Amino acid sequence: MISQIIDICYLIAVVLFIVGIKLMSHPDSARKGNSIALIGMLVAIAATFLTPGLNNILLILVAMAIGTGGGLYYAKSVKMTAMPQLVSFFNGMGGAAAALIGLVEYGDLPVNEIGKGAVLMASLIIGSISFSGSLIAMGKLEGVIKDIRINKILAFVLLAIALVMAFYVLTSGEPQPILVYGIVLVSLVYGLAFVYPIGGADMPVVISLLNALTGVTAATTGLLYNNKVMLMGGILVGSAGLLLTLLMAKAMNRSVANILFTSFGGASAGASGADTGDQVAKEINLYDSSILLSYAKRVVVVPGYGLAVAQAQHAVHDLEKALEEKGVEVLYGIHPVAGRMPGHMNVLLAESDVSYEKLIEMDDINEKFPSTDVVMVIGANDVVNPAANDDPSSPIYGMPILEVNRATNVIVIKRGMASGYAGIENALFFDAKTRMLFGDAKKVLTGLVTEVKNM
Amino acid sequence: MEQIIQYISVNQQEFYVFILAVFVGIEVISKVPTVLHTPLMSGSNALSGVVIVGSILVLGKTSPENYLALGLGFLAVLLATLNVVGGFAVTNRMLEMFKKKPAKK
């Protein structure tokens, strides 16, 4: 009887997961969706406690209490700018848990069960890759870890070694506990080698992929226990995560393979930098900018990571309100990969109560630029770099961009002339229409609000 | 090879679920606006914490004398909980910002 109850609870949990994700894909119902998925998770966990013959319950509760405390603490205390890193971190924890389960389970696995063994090996390898990869992705976003070039072939050799070891363990007919730890070790190193050489600008795609991988390990763990809630939940994440990865890569007009297996920036950056080297960017001061803005019909704000770093999301909203009082239409042009994660800018702007109807996606805003008087680029660089359209030698050539140079005026708010995350020069800054407004985004925007109000 | 084929046929129900779930996952998020990419990624990340069920099972069946397995299992439960709780909390924090302000209507 008890096991039927558990089964039914798992069934309910799976339905709640699906409904939750479904609701999460619309802004109005997203919060409800998250709560429903959470309820599903609680049902699944509660049902698991009903499992007959469960030992070490105290130990389980202690571990869960520590995990809950830590999770809540990190989730509440992190700044909005560091959100992507945190998601990557949590993702790595899930992968690690799956790999650990695999390690323990190997001890109980009869050597002749090759099918189950293969599933277990998949859990071990993918879980380890997801763990170390996520931590590297986190370090890269945090800026702690710089790009290092690692030979891609070397990385593949590592993966091949892990697979060969797994094959040997399965077919040797004897328990190989030491080799199993070896597989974990090699997989961990592969995870490092896999994420290290990928450019920071591509990190969103990588995190999404790692997220999908963690889902897959949850599913393989589910196979191991013939547990449908893990199987279903894991695969949901795996396939949704994979689709999300493809959507993001598409937004950058690059294939996933291209992102994963070729390094970003580097040599050609110098080449394209040379022909803009002797040009001078034209500066503008606060007062002139505020005049330009106040008398515009339509202003489009293009936010980038710089906005997040300067924590200027409230200041930009204040400017929006000040301009709207003067009858200026203010819109936001959101590039799919602006910031460090897709939707990063949306989340950030939503924090300061910018209504999401004003956040316009790339294709729609590009149509509006010719009838826009002023575009204000705040801390964005690569996503507005015209080299993506007209310089085949540029590493970002082919990436769709926000075509801000089709607007009448462009104001670029930047701290200095340094190049963007991809490390490439931006010809936009030298365009005849462009004026540079140097300074910290928050200070500049606050200054603009005052000037506009005094107008 | 034989054994793997046998494994699949014995567990074919699981494999059907596997395949169908792939399509459900794709179907469910196929129309998501860019605005929600980050929260959705975070939310699905929280869901991958479902591996906590496996962590509980593995620690729950470990004999109290097997210290290595106890340690690994304990860590697995802890990390999976971190994934679940942190994941949902972060997602909720992101989504709180999409709350509609009644005043704006």
Side-chain angles (χ1 to χ4, degrees), chain A residues 189-419:
Chain A
V189 179
Y190 173 70
L192 303 180
F194 172 63
V195 179
Y196 251 128
I198 299 172
D202 290 328
M203 249 343 113
V205 181
V206 176
I207 293 181
S208 177
L209 185 70
L210 291 170
N211 181 32
L213 282 184
T214 308
V216 173
T217 53
T220 51
T221 310
L223 270 181
L224 219 51
Y225 289 94
N226 290 333
N227 182 308
K228 296 216 175 48
V229 74
M230 273 196 277
L231 181 61
M232 195 70 195
I235 287 295
L236 267 182
V237 175
S239 64
L242 195 63
L243 180 64
L244 210 53
T245 311
L246 294 174
L247 287 176
M248 287 176 207
K250 203 172 149 204
M252 300 167 81
N253 199 17
R254 303 180 65 193
S255 72
V256 173
N258 189 299
I259 288 169
L260 298 182
F261 306 124
T262 51
S263 301
F264 210 56
S268 61
S272 56
D275 46 0
T276 51
D278 51 348
Q279 285 177 302
V280 184
K282 291 167 282 288
E283 273 194 65
I284 189 171
N285 61 25
L286 276 180
Y287 181 67
D288 290 341
S289 313
S290 63
I291 291 181
L292 215 51
L293 291 168
S294 303
Y295 291 95
K297 274 207 189 69
R298 178 191 285 150
V299 171
V300 174
V301 176
V302 174
Y305 192 60
L307 182 84
V309 172
Q311 291 283 312
Q313 63 273 36
H314 295 287
V316 78
H317 184 51
D318 290 342
L319 182 63
E320 173 203 320
K321 281 187 289 191
L323 285 172
E324 279 183 337
E325 271 168 30
K326 305 232 177 248
V328 184
E329 185 194 5
V330 181
L331 296 173
Y332 294 82
I334 310 292
H335 191 278
V337 295
R340 288 293 183 269
M341 271 180 121
H344 192 181
M345 290 301 122
N346 306 78
V347 172
L348 200 69
L349 290 170
E351 189 194 355
S352 59
D353 292 341
V354 174
S355 90
Y356 61 79
E357 284 93 359
K358 286 182 179 296
L359 309 180
I360 316 290
E361 295 191 14
M362 180 170 62
D363 293 340
D364 299 325
I365 201 74
N366 272 341
E367 286 167 19
K368 289 192 158 82
F369 281 132
S371 57
T372 297
D373 305 291
V374 185
V375 170
M376 201 163 49
V377 178
I378 308 174
N381 190 341
D382 300 325
V383 298
V384 294
N385 192 339
N389 280 346
D390 47 43
D391 178 7
S393 73
S394 168
I396 59 166
Y397 182 67
M399 177 173 98
I401 53 160
L402 294 166
E403 290 156 359
V404 296
N405 51 358
R406 286 162 65 194
T408 318
N409 295 286
V410 181
I411 299 176
V412 178
I413 302 178
K414 250 179 137 302
R415 270 175 308 181
M417 282 306 285
S419 51

Side-chain angles (χ1 to χ4, degrees), chain A residues 55-56 78 105 342 353 361, chain B residues 34 38 59-61 93 104:
Chain A
N55 291 323
N56 308 318
V78 71
E105 276 298 314
D353 292 341
E361 295 191 14
Chain B
T34 331
T38 299
L59 185 53
K61 69 171 195 174
R93 224 183 110 186
K104 273 194 183 161

Side-chain angles (χ1 to χ4, degrees), chain B residues 39-68:
Chain B
L40 188 73
M41 190 199 284
S42 175
S44 65
N45 168 45
L47 273 190
S48 63
V50 72
V51 73
I52 188 175
V53 169
S55 316
I56 293 173
L57 290 176
V58 89
L59 185 53
K61 69 171 195 174
T62 304
S63 88
E65 285 84 46
N66 189 345
Y67 293 116
L68 177 65

